[in-house]
């Protein structure tokens, strides 16, 4: 082995003096430069979760449905009928800022590998995006570039993107967020786990050749950015969705037999991470010879090969004697596949290169022995945010103009510009398309479907992290209920600033506490996820942005609750607690008054549980002709979203509200646990009966029909907007802003 | 013996949809055929489905024509049996010289996935033989290169010979600019060859064959194809 690495080299690679000392203690000698690089990647925040591990342990992770909880490549829940849903969300924030198209695209590629690694065929994608305001040209380039990259990868893979969210705030200008979600289906008793067992079993590297791209991406994703961030472009990988499509088909074909013991995808920290994780999970060791790794470039050294993040590669642990099956299937798909080593029994990761020992490290030293911090957390002095009430705000005079402004605002305008670039119909299973509260895919030959949604509100979490965390979970569950689905599991992506700052750690622990309260109240287990810290550029941190992905089961996939008004003459009802007129941190405050202050509404988890049961019953009995949850933009936004169906059909509506005082809270208040339903007149009584039984307050708020959106307040007309103009504003504004 | 062959190239991703749609709509068996196959003997019709054959490297459909299965596919077309392309399949049939024209990138320069309305222009093709010209149908598109181009004289000949089988139209049946998702000349969404046995379109009937998917108009095209193979 080459000579020992120095402390200076360790510090330069992002390790601390104390960590360097620990590595020496674990090895009983100083590491060589290759080993130091391996530790630097594996002990990075991105791979080791060293600042978050202790806190993540608070999430509820168990239910009778959970097959695989946190710790594997993705979580898996039993969805009945012998099937499992395998899903996860993961961030690709830092690479996207450096190179939006490839950064976002490889985020999709990475999350898809996590799913088919488990033996599941991916059937749906979603994504959650945050950018700076589109008035800034650079933000438009980041936004359109990231969307095009996501589209390119997901579309080429033939997997529909059925949902997601995108929001814009100043704080994301230098630090956009790209969180990619994927969901796959597998037989419940055929979930593959990434655990190397049976010493002597051959280890194969399959898929793409290994190159110098992406070396040290994991460390890059674990540091705050400075002005030189764009010089880090070589640490961003380049994706090839065609190759990944072939790799996916080949792996799934191979996994139908029993030639494999384990599969591990190669993402962050490449060969280092995949070999050490697969070995330490199985309590084994691994011996590999880097000369047998197919390489894209000449003259790569051991350090580069071990840390390359070249995309579209997988590590296979093959059953001895079954190698011919691997060769046959990978030949069919014209992919590289070569044995590079074997499973050993001594717990060591032993790396040979050009006939010499290049590294020899206990696998567990890289994984389980990584440091775990309990970083100090401190509540900032500004907390709690003062409440904002209409009395603090100038009263609008032209309500038509306000509604029009909000319908075309970055916060509330239709996301059509984004989701029409994503193939959301391939596989011919999409029964609720993007633009609704949740995406739903059916499973051919079965009656049921899978509903999914991604939600988060950074503005809420910034002003009150505990409430923001709880509201993200509550909104996601509400969105599923609005299509008639029952939540069965959740994944999360926690996007936060620099954890070395106590106020950031306070945000983090508070948000987890809020999420935990809501997950427990709504009985939804977390099955996995990802933490992205160091979302800090030039000293400015993003809003703390926990994003929650919740997956649900819809027992009758032919009958999701429609997401748009169905027929003229139907009656409108607002379900949920009264007094939901809170404006703190609301979309209205941001878009009309340019303010992001105030305190978000207080979660009402009991009311969420009741509303969920009510919506599912209204869906199952066919009483709900349409439903929408109330969230950003309140009642007015829910009504506008319900007007314009994807097929082009459109129905007007008249909202009738009673309002003793100022109108803002009634129209735009974001109080939780509420939904807007339309109902055939003959079903109104039955719906009222159902609401009473479920303990959900129900108020009549108007009817469907006409060629306009009208609002009557206390019986007097207040708003009248013709449908044609409103459709153009709502449907086309985001595209106009993006392409300005 | 399966009557319908559904070709699968590396990167094809709509083979399952087409297979399922054919069997659901026609009740006849369909079979997936890998691109390395050298024969299509015994099939009455072949469908080239959508996706990104060979990764769309070089250009959409540009490499697929070198796949071994293209030789029997061309013989099948020459024998008068039905050969049909959908989306990427349309591009592949153009590249193979079985259909006229070429596809440019969409005018928006972006991939577009949404419902469009189509007007049936001619019933002289395997995809339209059961349809009345003037009928309008709704189904999704999903492509980045569907901007149909041909020289003026070729275009004129196509129109005169009724080789244009589908045009994008609005709800009122007008072939307007606003209804065109990609900028194709004359709002062309689908064409046939001169003999009338090879046809293709950019929209996806394989995504509109059950009410749960938001529409069933795609069934009419598979019914036509079935009818064509019976005649």
């Amino acid at each position: 082995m080459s000579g020992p690495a120095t402390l200076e080299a360790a510090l330069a690679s992002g390790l601390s003096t104390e960590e360097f000392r620990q590595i020496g203690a674990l090895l009983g000698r100083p590491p060589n430069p290759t080993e130091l690089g391996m530790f630097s990647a594996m002990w990075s925040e991105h791979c080791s979760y060293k600042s978050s591990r202790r806190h993540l342990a608070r999430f509820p992770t168990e239910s009778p449905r959970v097959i695989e909880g946190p710790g594997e490549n993705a979580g898996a829940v039993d969805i009945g009928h012998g099937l499992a849903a395998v899903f996860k969300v993961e961030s690709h924030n830092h690479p996207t800022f450096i190179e939006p198209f490839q950064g976002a695209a490889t985020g999709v590629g990475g999350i898809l590998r996590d799913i088919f690694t488990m033996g599941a065929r991916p059937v749906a994608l979603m994504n959650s995006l945050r950018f700076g305001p589109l008035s800034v040209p650079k933000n438009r380039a980041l936004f359109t570039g990231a969307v095009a990259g996501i589209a390119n990868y997901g579309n080429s893979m033939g997997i529909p993107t059925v949902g997601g969210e995108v929001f814009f705030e100043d704080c994301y200008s230098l630090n956009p967020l790209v969180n990619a979600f994927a969901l796959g289906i597998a037989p419940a008793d055929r979930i593959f786990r990434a655990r190397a067992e049976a010493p002597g079993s051959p280890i194969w590297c399959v898929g793409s050749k290994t190159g110098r791209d992406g070396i040290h991406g994991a460390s890059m994703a674990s540091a705050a950015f400075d002005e030189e961030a764009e010089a880090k472009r070589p640490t961003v990988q380049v994706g090839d969705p065609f190759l990944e499509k072939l790799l996916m088909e080949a792996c799934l074909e191979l996994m139908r037999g029993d030639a494999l013991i384990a599969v591990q995808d190669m993402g962050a920290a490449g060969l280092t991470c995949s070999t050490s994780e697969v070995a330490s999970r199985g309590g084994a060791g691994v011996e590999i010879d880097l000369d047998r790794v197919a390489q894209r470039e000449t003259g790569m050294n051991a350090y580069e090969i071990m840390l390359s993040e070249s995309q579209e590669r997988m590590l296979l642990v093959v059953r001895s004697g079954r190698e011919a099956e691997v060769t046959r299937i990978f030949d069919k798909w014209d992919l590289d596949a070569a044995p590079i080593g074997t499973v050993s029994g001594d717990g060591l990761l032993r790396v040979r290169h050009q006939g010499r020992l290049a590294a020899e490290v206990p696998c567990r030293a890289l994984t389980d022995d990584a440091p775990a911090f309990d970083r100090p957390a401190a509540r900032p002095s500004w907390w709690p945010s003062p409440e904002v009430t209409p009395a603090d705000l100038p009263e609008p005079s032209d309500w038509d103009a306000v509604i029009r402004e909000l319908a075309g605002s970055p916060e509330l305008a239709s996301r059509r510009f984004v989701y029409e670039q994503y193939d959301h119909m391939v596989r011919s299973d999409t029964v609720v398309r993007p633009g609704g509260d949740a995406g739903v895919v059916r499973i051919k030959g079965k009656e049921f479907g899978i509903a999914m949604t991604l939600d988060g509100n950074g503005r809420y979490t910034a002003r009150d992290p505990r409430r923001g965390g709880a509201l993200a979970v509550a909104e996601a569950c509400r969105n599923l209920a609005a299509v008639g689905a029952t939540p069965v599991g959740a994944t999360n992506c926690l996007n936060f600033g620099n954890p070395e700052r106590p106020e950031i750690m306070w945000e983090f622990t508070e948000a987890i506490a809020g999420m935990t309260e809501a997950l427990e109240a709504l009985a939804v287990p977390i099955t996995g996820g990802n933490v992205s810290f160091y979302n800090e550029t030039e000293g400015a941190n993003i809003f703390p942005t926990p994003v929650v992905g919740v997956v649900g089961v819809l027992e009758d996939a032919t009958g999701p609750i429609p997401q748009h008004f169905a027929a003229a003459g139907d009656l409108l009802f607002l379900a949920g607690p009264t007094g939901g007129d809170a404006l703190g941190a609301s979309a209205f405050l941001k878009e009309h008054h340019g303010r992001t202050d105030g305190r978000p509404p207080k979660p009402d988890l009991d009311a969420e549980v009741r509303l969920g049961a009510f919506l599912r019953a209204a869906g199952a009995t066919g009483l709900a002709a349409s439903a929408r949850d109330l969230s950003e933009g309140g009642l007015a936004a829910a009504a506008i979203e319900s007007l314009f169906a994807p097929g082009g059909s459109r129905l007007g509506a008249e909202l009738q509200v009673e309002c003793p005082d100022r109108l803002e809270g009634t129209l735009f208040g974001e109080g939780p646990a509420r939904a807007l339903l339309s109902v055939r007149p003959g079903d109104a009584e039955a719906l009222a009966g159902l609401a009473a039984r479920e303990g959900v307050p129900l108020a009549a708020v108007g009817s469907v029909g006409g060629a306009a959106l009208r609002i009557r307040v206390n019986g007097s007309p207040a708003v009248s907007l013709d449908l044609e103009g409103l459709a153009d504003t709502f449907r086309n504004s985001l595209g106009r802003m993006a392409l300005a | 013996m399966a009557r319908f062959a559904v070709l699968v190239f590396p990167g094809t991703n709509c083979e399952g949809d087409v297979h399922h749609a054919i069997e659901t709509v026609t009740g006849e068996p369909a079979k997936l055929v890998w691109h390395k196959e050298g024969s299509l003997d015994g099939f009455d019709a072949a469908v080239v489905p959508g996706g990104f054959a060979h990764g769309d490297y070089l250009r959409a459909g540009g490499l697929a024509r070198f796949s071994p299965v293209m030789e029997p596919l061309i013989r099948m077309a020459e024998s008068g049996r039905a050969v049909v392309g959908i989306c990427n399949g349309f591009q592949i049939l153009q590249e193979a010289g079985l259909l006229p024209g070429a596809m440019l990138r969409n005018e928006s320069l972006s991939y577009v996935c949404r419902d469009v309305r189509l007007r049936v222009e001619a019933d002289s093709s395997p995809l339209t033989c059961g349809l009345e010209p003037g009928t309008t149908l709704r189904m999704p598109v999903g492509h980045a290169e569907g901007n149909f181009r041909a020289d003026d004289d070729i275009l004129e000949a196509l129109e005169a010979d009724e080789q244009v089988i589908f045009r994008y139209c609005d709800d009122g049946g007008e072939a307007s600019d606003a209804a065109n998702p990609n900028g194709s000349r004359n709002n062309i969404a689908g064409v046939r060859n001169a003999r009338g046995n090879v046809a293709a379109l950019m929209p996806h009937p394989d995504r509109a064959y059950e009410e749960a998917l938001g529409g069933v108009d795609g069934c009419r095209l598979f019914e036509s194809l079935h009818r064509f193979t019976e005649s």
Side-chain angles (χ1 to χ4, degrees):
Chain A
M1 286 196 277
S2 49
T6 61
L7 174 62
E8 288 70 36
L11 295 174
S13 69
L15 291 162
S16 68
T17 307
E18 172 56 23
E19 287 168 339
F20 184 63
R21 193 199 59 75
Q22 279 179 35
I23 294 166
L26 282 166
L27 296 180
R29 59 173 168 80
N32 69 32
T34 300
E35 292 167 336
L36 180 73
M38 291 159 60
F39 274 100
S40 151
M42 291 300 293
W43 286 19
S44 69
E45 189 66 59
H46 185 79
C47 289
S48 73
Y49 293 81
K50 57 190 171 188
S51 303
S52 60
R53 286 217 301 268
R54 290 162 183 263
H55 305 289
L56 298 176
R58 292 159 69 182
F59 283 139
T61 57
E62 285 173 15
S63 89
R65 287 184 183 267
V66 173
I67 298 171
E68 206 57 67
E72 274 288 341
N73 284 297
V77 293
D78 191 328
I79 51 172
H81 315 269
L83 297 176
V86 177
F87 58 91
K88 191 181 177 185
V89 61
E90 207 164 66
S91 64
H92 235 220
N93 306 335
H94 292 85
T96 300
F97 180 55
I98 298 171
E99 210 291 272
F101 185 98
Q102 291 296 344
T106 52
V108 177
I111 197 68
L112 284 171
R113 284 194 300 283
D114 281 336
I115 303 307
F116 67 78
T117 294
M118 305 281 291
R121 175 169 285 280
V123 299
L125 290 163
M126 299 192 288
N127 56 78
S128 170
L129 311 176
R130 300 289 186 282
F131 299 92
L134 293 176
S135 50
V136 179
K138 168 84 179 176
N139 293 334
R140 295 200 290 273
L142 288 169
F143 172 47
T144 54
V147 168
I150 290 168
N152 180 263
Y153 212 106
N155 296 354
S156 303
M157 291 291 291
I159 299 159
T161 299
V162 301
E165 49 163 24
V166 55
F167 290 107
F168 306 90
E169 295 281 357
D170 288 331
C171 66
Y172 304 114
S173 273
L174 295 172
N175 201 316
L177 303 184
V178 170
N179 293 180
F181 169 101
L183 180 142
I185 299 294
D189 56 355
R190 300 267 308 153
I191 304 285
F192 274 79
R193 286 158 180 98
R195 287 169 205 172
E197 288 155 6
S201 305
I203 289 180
W204 286 54
C205 181
V206 300
S208 207
K209 289 181 169 56
T210 298
R212 285 196 173 91
D213 47 334
I215 290 173
H216 263 312
S219 307
M220 176 268 290
S222 304
F225 276 165
D226 52 29
E227 288 167 3
E228 285 162 24
E230 300 200 32
K232 295 194 177 177
R233 194 162 289 135
T235 56
V236 180
Q237 318 85 348
V238 175
D240 181 348
F242 174 58
L243 217 145
E244 176 135 317
K245 164 80 173 159
L246 304 185
L247 183 63
M248 175 177 80
E249 296 298 344
C251 286
L252 290 174
E253 193 171 331
L254 188 55
M255 288 158 123
R256 280 202 287 272
D258 64 347
L260 295 181
I261 294 171
V263 190
Q264 172 72 44
D265 90 295
M266 281 191 233
L271 260 177
T272 302
C273 184
S274 56
T275 51
S276 58
E277 283 197 348
V278 85
S280 61
R281 279 202 204 102
V286 162
E287 213 171 303
I288 57 172
D289 183 349
L290 300 185
D291 297 327
R292 295 159 79 181
V293 175
Q295 289 160 46
R296 191 183 296 160
E297 300 171 62
T298 55
M300 288 180 73
N301 62 31
Y303 175 97
E304 291 168 325
I305 299 169
M306 286 305 288
L307 292 168
S308 161
E309 292 187 7
S310 290
Q311 296 288 288
E312 293 96 21
R313 297 179 301 159
M314 298 285 255
L315 193 79
L316 309 181
V317 182
V318 181
R319 237 174 263 288
S320 280
R322 307 291 293 276
E323 293 88 338
E325 283 169 60
V326 181
T327 305
R328 180 178 58 79
I329 289 173
F330 280 79
D331 275 356
K332 171 186 166 185
W333 293 97
D334 296 321
L335 290 169
D336 280 322
I340 62 165
T342 50
V343 177
S344 66
D346 61 7
L348 293 176
L349 170 54
R350 202 176 281 113
V351 180
R352 293 184 195 282
H353 187 226
Q354 296 174 343
R356 284 197 299 272
L357 190 63
E360 187 175 70
V361 181
C363 293
R364 282 182 193 279
L366 292 168
T367 57
D368 301 355
D369 293 337
F373 302 139
D374 191 4
R375 294 193 187 275
R379 194 172 74 192
S381 55
W382 55 260
W383 195 87
S385 284
E387 307 279 355
V388 175
T389 65
D392 308 323
L393 306 167
E395 188 166 10
S397 53
D398 182 349
W399 286 100
D400 278 4
V402 176
I403 297 280
R404 202 182 299 114
E405 174 191 28
L406 289 172
S409 68
E411 188 84 5
L412 300 176
S414 163
R415 272 48 186 150
R416 193 172 76 95
F417 169 76
V418 178
Y419 63 71
E420 285 188 355
Q421 294 184 53
Y422 303 146
D423 190 342
H424 48 265
M425 294 302 288
V426 64
R427 295 187 57 80
S428 63
D429 286 330
T430 307
V431 296
V432 177
R433 304 184 190 189
D437 278 348
V440 181
V441 294
R442 65 171 184 176
I443 297 170
K444 287 188 187 82
K446 310 271 181 194
E447 282 180 358
F448 73 110
I450 302 167
M452 62 202 86
T453 177
L454 273 183
D455 292 286
N457 185 322
R459 212 163 45 235
Y460 283 1
T461 320
R463 299 306 162 221
D464 190 322
R466 187 177 285 241
R467 286 187 181 182
L471 289 168
V473 172
E475 190 194 339
C477 292
R478 205 186 309 138
N479 279 330
L480 290 189
V483 297
T486 309
V488 296
T491 178
N492 66 102
C493 194
L494 304 175
N495 307 276
F496 283 76
N498 182 346
E500 295 161 37
R501 299 180 195 274
E503 70 276 16
I504 301 285
M505 275 316 285
W506 174 79
E507 293 174 347
F508 186 71
T509 55
E510 282 289 290
I512 285 180
M515 289 168 67
T516 301
E517 286 165 14
L519 289 162
E520 284 172 349
L522 292 155
V524 184
I526 288 280
T527 64
N530 157 252
V531 178
S532 173
F533 275 130
Y534 296 98
N535 289 289
E536 174 189 60
T537 300
E538 292 171 22
N541 286 287
I542 59 162
F543 282 170
T545 313
V547 171
V548 181
V550 182
V551 171
V553 171
L554 184 72
E555 287 305 334
D556 178 7
T558 60
I561 303 176
Q563 295 294 290
H564 298 88
F565 293 146
D570 285 357
L571 302 176
L572 296 177
F573 290 93
L574 177 59
T578 53
D581 51 2
L583 287 174
S586 66
F588 168 74
L589 213 52
K590 173 178 159 61
E591 297 294 1
H592 187 69
H593 293 288
R595 299 169 58 159
T596 59
D597 62 334
R599 199 166 178 201
K602 191 170 187 296
D604 186 343
L605 299 172
D606 292 338
E608 298 284 2
V609 171
R610 289 195 296 270
L611 180 78
F614 164 70
L615 287 170
R616 280 187 286 278
T621 52
L623 288 175
S626 78
R628 282 276 172 174
D629 93 305
L630 263 61
S631 52
E632 290 90 354
L635 176 62
I640 293 166
E641 289 167 0
S642 303
L643 295 172
F644 309 110
S649 66
R650 49 193 63 160
L651 283 165
E654 180 169 279
L655 283 178
Q656 295 162 0
V657 297
E658 301 298 320
C659 181
D661 195 13
R662 295 274 292 265
L663 191 52
E664 289 95 322
T666 303
L667 289 184
F668 309 118
E670 297 182 2
R674 298 186 299 161
L676 176 67
L677 288 86
S678 69
V679 185
R680 284 175 296 276
D683 289 338
E685 204 173 314
L687 189 82
L690 179 65
R693 280 197 299 283
E694 298 290 347
V696 175
L698 197 66
V701 290
S703 59
V704 176
L709 174 66
R710 294 195 172 83
I711 303 177
R712 294 177 86 87
V713 182
N714 305 326
S716 309
V719 170
S720 176
L721 292 165
D722 83 277
L723 228 43
E724 210 56 35
L726 189 61
D728 178 60
T729 302
F730 177 66
R731 302 180 80 236
N732 299 328
S733 286
L734 189 63
R736 283 197 279 262
M737 288 181 269
L739 300 173
Chain B
M1 184 63 198
R3 301 188 49 202
F4 297 92
V6 179
L7 305 196
V8 185
F9 299 85
T12 297
N13 62 31
C14 298
E15 72 274 24
D17 303 351
V18 171
H19 185 273
H20 192 69
I22 289 176
E23 294 201 337
T24 303
V25 175
T26 70
E28 299 273 359
K31 191 174 177 227
L32 301 180
V33 177
W34 184 234
H35 78 120
K36 290 178 186 174
E37 289 290 326
S39 163
L40 288 168
D41 290 348
F43 290 106
D44 298 322
V47 181
V48 190
F52 294 76
H54 296 281
D56 274 0
Y57 285 142
L58 187 60
R59 59 182 180 268
L63 294 180
R65 72 186 179 94
F66 298 108
S67 278
V69 79
M70 293 307 283
E71 212 179 284
L73 187 76
I74 290 168
R75 280 204 306 274
M76 198 168 171
E78 287 167 353
S79 76
R81 281 175 291 166
V83 172
V84 161
I86 299 170
C87 197
N88 191 226
F90 192 168
Q91 296 156 344
I92 291 169
L93 295 179
Q94 284 179 320
E95 290 284 342
L98 293 175
L99 286 175
M103 297 297 180
L104 295 190
R105 207 161 165 73
N106 296 348
E107 217 165 49
S108 67
L109 302 181
S110 296
Y111 188 96
V112 58
C113 176
R114 64 176 166 90
D115 277 5
V116 296
R117 193 163 278 283
L118 299 177
R119 191 176 70 205
V120 177
E121 298 291 300
D123 58 5
S124 50
S125 85
L127 287 168
T128 54
C129 59
L131 287 158
E132 191 76 25
T135 307
T136 73
L137 307 168
R138 189 164 63 83
M139 63 187 73
V141 287
H143 60 252
E145 282 106 11
N147 184 352
F148 184 93
R149 294 283 127 169
D151 293 344
D152 289 343
D153 45 348
I154 293 175
L155 200 62
E156 225 166 277
L158 289 179
E159 295 284 6
D161 194 30
E162 293 187 344
Q163 283 182 247
V164 174
I165 57 172
F166 294 111
R167 245 184 268 279
Y168 301 108
C169 69
D170 58 24
D171 288 346
E174 283 306 309
S176 62
D177 284 351
N180 185 336
N182 53 39
S184 66
R185 289 197 75 178
N186 296 11
N187 275 35
I188 288 172
V191 299
R192 64 166 173 87
N193 66 349
R195 184 169 173 180
N197 68 317
V198 180
L201 79 169
M202 286 312 291
H204 281 279
D206 51 323
R207 298 177 181 185
Y209 61 89
E210 278 170 340
E211 284 295 353
L213 302 173
V216 292
D217 287 357
C219 296
R220 313 282 301 273
L221 276 61
F222 293 111
E223 284 161 5
S224 286
L225 179 60
H226 190 205
R227 183 169 161 162
F228 189 90
T229 60
E230 308 267 82
S231 61

